[in-house]
Amino acid sequence: MSNYGWQLQFQATTWRRLANVGFWFHALAYPRPPNYNFVRTFTTGTHASNGPNQSISLYFYLPENFDPKRRKHPVVINFHGGGFTIGSATDDRRWAGAVVKETAAIFVSVEYRLAPEHPFPVAVDDGLETVLHLAANSEEYGIDPQKMALSGFSAGGNMAFTVPLKLDDYRNNGSTKIKELPLFKIVSIISFYPVLDFREARATKRAACKRPEKALPPILTDLFDACYMPEKMNENSPFASPSAASDDILRRALPAEHIGLYTCEWDMLHADGLAFALRMEQLGKKVEYESIPEAVHGFDKALNPINTDPKADHLYSKACVVLQRALEVDTRDVPAIV
């Protein structure tokens, strides 16, 4: 590894430790977020970056009424944020709690591999492998493979779009693995303040932001981009930049409805999110878009050990309504929230 590579590795490791401390404080606020019920680790198949037999851990959060003998449950597959460089599958526990309570779905958070050890396209391939694994083993997990949804935050919000694009690419390139799987369907995408376009420089996005001083600082964004996207030519790939996908691919690969896209007013990614939402609507998709006023990137992950942000609670509730419609939730299966 070069000196530059060691520097990136050291910086990434340092920020990961700081993020772990931050999320410890975030989890202290009441109401406390739920803990996961169990973890399953599987090994990837032939589509994984760096070859097969890579390990991916899945963190399962189960609804109160979980009973696979009585019926199969819908599933929400979640990808955490962190610039593809930091973060973990337990970062979104509050979102997991909202989903299992309000939709009675199984929530699966993915511990995908991080950069710089695993740069693009490893994270997207890990997401693809996760969808294939859950579909192939739906009976074991008690999952209804016809009711699968994807969600994610920031980098994970990117994956909520790029994973379906990658699945579409495999389907249309004659992947035998997908043909051999039981039928599965992604019926909804929930994407919170996603990274949608690597082609435009961060400095340009930051300068165009309504409150540039509120945007993520270059010390973080430069590190994230250097770690995940060392080869600049990959910025043009739709599996990195969903905005670069053609209209035909977006029409075919993404659900026709039940797409929730949420941006933050003071985020440098706000304009990209709004433009992508409008484009999807022009393509005939039914999109629920909302810009959270006076919110910064990752506002729902604030390091406040006392209280949660009411705007985050509002956002999660709105997104859960989209999921309820997509997953055809019977409200009788949703326990009353007192």
Side-chain angles (χ1 to χ4, degrees), residues 296-325:
V296 298
H297 188 91
F299 76 98
D300 57 316
K301 305 295 194 298
L303 308 184
N304 182 345
I306 307 301
N307 298 307
T308 59
D309 190 329
K311 288 191 284 192
D313 298 334
H314 162 80
L315 176 62
Y316 290 177
S317 292
K318 289 202 71 173
C320 282
V321 171
V322 177
L323 287 174
Q324 286 176 350
R325 294 172 184 152

Side-chain angles (χ1 to χ4, degrees), residues 118-144:
H118 306 288
F120 174 85
V122 173
V124 182
D125 286 347
D126 285 357
L128 176 146
E129 286 283 342
T130 297
V131 173
L132 298 181
H133 170 77
L134 292 173
N137 297 277
S138 58
E139 286 291 327
E140 174 187 349
Y141 292 124
I143 287 171
D144 181 350

